[in-house]
Amino acid sequence: MPTDKNTFSSWRRRLVQRAVHAGWAWAQRAGSVTAEHPGRLRFGAIGPATRLAFPLGTVFGEPWIHLGSHCIVAEQVTLTAGLMPDLDLGPDPILRIGDGVVLGRGSHVIADTTVTIGSDCYFGPYVYVTSTNHSYDDPHEPIGRQWPRMEPVEIGPGCWIGTGAVILPGARIGRNVVVAAGAVVRGTVPDHAVVAGAPARVVRRWTQAEGWQPPLRTPPPVPIPDGVTSDQLVALSGLDEETAARLAQLDDEGAGELARMEREG
């Protein structure tokens, strides 16, 4: 009986595909960088449970790069200290990244002079942070040949930097700031603010006296109660709306009865 060439070709393609995917998964595991397995990279500091995913972006000046613990650096993230490789940048770190920082895929952090990223900051993909900008003082000289301007950058702890945002030299971003996707930030941003636009401006801010101004349009999300297991969450996700509403009503009635008993007791 003749062999169906299309069937054989499909089987062979599936086999090759599985082999390629398995090989790539192995390369990702083997090529990632950690404190225990730094490969060729010799960072000034890299904390426990920090991982740089493979494939890496451009990385140089790593003796002047300090990475905190429990950081996630996604694929193709560029981290550089100094204008070019193999420079002596002195005794102090140039790029400091705190604990628990997440740098999204394809992001760039270019620290030709000091860049500091506080703990628990989360970057979306393709964020660009730089402490250097081109100068164009001489109108007769190509801009790329003119000496650049450098200013330190500081991003406070707890910030969320949206996809495609650009943080320019001299930026001072406070604590728990939201930078909207595509925003271009320079200058000082106060604590607990939301900035958007190019150039970025404050569109919302929280203060102790007034709360959020303008007020938030949606209610805050309800956190998952302590003690709830992942299996319970999966079971809840399968409930239809009517059943979920009945359970919520029973919970409210139970809470009301408990409050009544406390008052009478």
Side-chain angles (χ1 to χ4, degrees), residues 23-179:
W24 181 248
W26 176 88
Q28 287 180 305
R29 292 192 299 271
S32 63
V33 172
T34 63
E36 297 76 20
H37 303 285
R40 63 175 179 82
L41 301 176
R42 295 294 180 266
F43 288 103
I46 178 169
T50 285
R51 180 178 295 270
L52 285 74
F54 179 86
L56 303 173
T58 300
V59 179
F60 64 76
E62 60 270 21
W64 291 272
I65 299 175
H66 286 206
L67 296 164
S69 62
H70 298 88
C71 294
I72 299 173
V73 180
E75 297 175 7
Q76 298 176 341
V77 169
T78 289
L79 301 174
T80 65
L83 284 169
M84 60 189 69
D86 302 323
L87 296 177
D88 185 351
L89 303 177
D92 299 322
I94 301 298
L95 173 56
R96 298 180 180 90
I97 297 176
D99 298 334
V101 172
V102 176
L103 300 179
R105 177 188 178 93
S107 293
H108 289 60
V109 183
I110 310 299
D112 295 335
T113 189
T114 305
V115 172
T116 303
I117 299 174
S119 296
D120 300 311
C121 285
Y122 290 77
F123 287 42
Y126 307 109
V127 172
Y128 191 88
V129 180
T130 180
S131 61
T132 301
N133 210 347
H134 295 294
S135 60
Y136 49 87
D137 301 71
D138 187 345
H140 307 295
E141 186 72 15
I143 293 171
R145 293 185 180 180
Q146 299 187 44
W147 192 253
R149 284 184 169 84
M150 301 181 189
E151 293 182 77
V153 171
E154 184 174 351
I155 301 174
C159 291
W160 179 276
I161 313 296
T163 300
V166 177
I167 313 299
L168 293 175
R172 294 287 188 275
I173 299 175
R175 174 185 296 271
N176 289 7
V177 169
V178 174
V179 176

Side-chain angles (χ1 to χ4, degrees), residues 203-221:
V203 296
R204 178 174 277 122
R205 189 180 178 193
W206 181 92
T207 63
Q208 185 70 40
E210 298 182 329
W212 283 106
Q213 294 298 326
L216 298 175
R217 294 190 294 268
T218 56

